[in-house]
Amino acid sequence: MGTIKGSSTAEIEAPIEQVWEVVEDVLTAPDWQDGLKDVEELERDADGHVTLVESSSDAKVRTIRSTVRFSYDGPERLAWRQEKGELKSVDGAWELEDLGGGRTRAVYRLEVDLGRMLSLVVRGPLVDALRGQLVGARAGELKQRVEGG
């Protein structure tokens, strides 16, 4: 009952490299991802990628803080996993596919285990609202960010 899991997909009118530029810039994600309030850099790798962040997200009932580690396999995949935080677990990824002709398919996947305490508060219609915000809208938000400027 305390798990939010899902994916969303969008076809974007832009080459995969352009989409990847937006996806890999995790520090600007709060500018275009609804509910993501803040991302603070904690660590970078030798290639300059941000690999560890502390984030704050609006979970409808309260703000949730998490320390998240990213792994980059660009321009096809960016994955992340919560290392510590208020949720029991968070695993997610952006998966990009070059469709040719300057088009890219973007798939956003997320699995969140709210844990026992939050599961007591986040239930029923609130779970659906949170799933819509955290999962359902993401690929469309990326499409809008890339195509809309």
Side-chain angles (χ1 to χ4, degrees):
M1 170 155 68
T3 301
I4 296 174
K5 182 178 181 178
S7 66
S8 60
T9 304
E11 291 191 7
I12 301 171
E13 297 296 326
I16 192 169
E17 295 81 11
Q18 185 179 344
V19 179
W20 177 250
E21 283 180 25
V22 174
V23 167
E24 76 171 335
D25 188 0
V26 297
L27 296 179
T28 63
D31 295 344
W32 58 274
Q33 291 184 15
D34 186 40
L36 186 57
K37 296 168 92 171
D38 183 52
V39 174
E40 179 184 335
E41 175 185 334
L42 300 177
E43 188 178 293
R44 283 184 184 257
D45 66 14
D47 295 326
H49 289 118
V50 175
T51 54
L52 191 66
V53 303
E54 184 169 86
S55 68
S56 301
S57 299
D58 177 6
K60 302 292 183 194
V61 293
R62 68 180 224 214
T63 297
I64 302 296
R65 297 195 65 77
S66 296
T67 301
V68 179
R69 182 163 304 276
F70 290 92
S71 59
Y72 297 79
D73 187 15
E76 290 86 22
R77 183 174 167 82
L78 172 69
W80 57 91
R81 168 170 276 160
Q82 176 182 273
E83 288 198 342
K84 69 178 187 177
E86 298 177 67
L87 301 167
K88 186 172 180 183
S89 67
V90 178
D91 288 286
W94 279 109
E95 297 166 355
L96 305 180
E97 178 185 352
D98 187 344
L99 298 175
R103 296 176 62 241
T104 304
R105 177 178 294 120
V107 179
Y108 180 86
R109 301 184 191 284
L110 187 68
E111 184 169 348
V112 176
D113 186 332
L114 297 172
R116 193 175 71 80
M117 293 303 288
L118 268 176
S119 292
L120 296 174
V121 179
V122 179
R123 47 184 12 168
L126 196 51
V127 170
D128 293 334
L130 203 51
R131 183 179 295 109
Q133 174 184 311
L134 294 177
V135 180
R138 284 297 184 249
E141 290 172 336
L142 177 60
K143 179 179 174 71
Q144 176 63 37
R145 176 70 173 199
V146 173
E147 292 178 1

